[in-house]
Amino acid sequence: MYDKRAMLELLDREGIAYQLAEHVAVFTVDEARRAQIPFAAFGAKNLFLRDDKKRAYYLVCMPDDADVSLKSIQGRIGSRRLSFASAADLEQMLRLVPGAVTPLGALDDGARHVEVVIDQALVDRGSVAVHPCDNTATVLLQTADLIGLLRRHGRQVRVVALQGPPAPVA
């Protein structure tokens, strides 16, 4: 199980460069902004979602100022109807609590039920600020390093343009 210390040790072992900011516990994007976390320009909003049959689970990571509906996400990822997964599912699958959701939590998904979906906007931005499995800290790292880490550890990661006009159908 990854806690903040174990996650930072993993980043160090993997040779992933990051900046760390420790702060008061934040549970929402608004609270993170009020806490004046230094990496605000790279903040991410992370949603733990499931389909209506509870067969597919997604951890969706997008810029914290993105205004994307669940219906839009559903269409972009080709899912059945989406809703927020329960706090119990979050704890059971990713060992996280509400307010500490992070794509890094997928590393605790031993059964590999959760697909990580990263908004193309975060890839384009180059860097992303996420919790290291604890909402009293934020790490700033390269988005490519985050994706590479998850994939090296066998996690399914999909990069999808969640904002803007839909891609043309071929």
Side-chain angles (χ1 to χ4, degrees):
M1 182 172 140
Y2 288 99
D3 59 9
K4 177 171 57 175
R5 180 191 52 76
M7 185 54 64
L8 296 176
E9 288 173 358
L10 175 65
L11 294 174
D12 289 339
R13 262 194 325 275
E14 295 269 341
I16 295 175
Y18 64 90
Q19 294 177 51
L20 172 69
E22 299 199 59
H23 47 75
V24 300
V26 293
F27 296 89
T28 66
V29 169
D30 287 338
E31 286 180 15
R33 288 183 180 137
R34 286 194 300 273
Q36 298 182 341
I37 298 168
F39 322 124
F42 301 100
K45 178 186 329 187
N46 299 287
L47 309 176
F48 185 51
L49 307 174
R50 65 166 178 80
D51 74 4
D52 59 344
K53 297 286 188 181
K54 296 184 181 181
R55 292 185 187 147
Y57 287 81
Y58 305 94
L59 197 160
V60 179
C61 184
M62 65 185 85
D64 65 3
D65 60 354
D67 186 20
V68 180
S69 71
L70 294 185
K71 187 171 185 170
S72 176
I73 294 170
Q74 169 190 321
R76 299 289 176 120
I77 66 174
S79 170
R80 296 180 55 88
R81 194 167 69 78
L82 293 174
S83 63
F84 289 96
S86 69
D89 284 344
L90 178 63
E91 198 284 322
Q92 178 187 17
M93 293 180 175
L94 301 180
R95 312 286 189 264
L96 296 172
V97 298
V101 179
T102 173
L104 293 169
L107 295 171
D108 269 326
D109 178 20
R112 299 185 179 157
H113 288 303
V114 179
E115 179 180 359
V116 178
V117 176
I118 304 224
D119 190 345
Q120 179 66 47
L122 293 176
V123 174
D124 295 345
R125 198 162 37 172
S127 296
V128 62
V130 297
H131 294 307
C133 298
D134 182 316
N135 65 351
T136 64
T138 299
V139 290
L140 176 68
L141 63 158
Q142 296 296 303
T143 310
D145 287 343
L146 170 64
I147 293 168
L149 173 70
L150 294 170
R151 288 181 174 159
R152 278 193 306 282
H153 286 264
R155 298 321 183 264
Q156 185 177 0
V157 180
R158 187 169 17 152
V159 176
V160 177
L162 297 174
Q163 304 172 71
V169 177

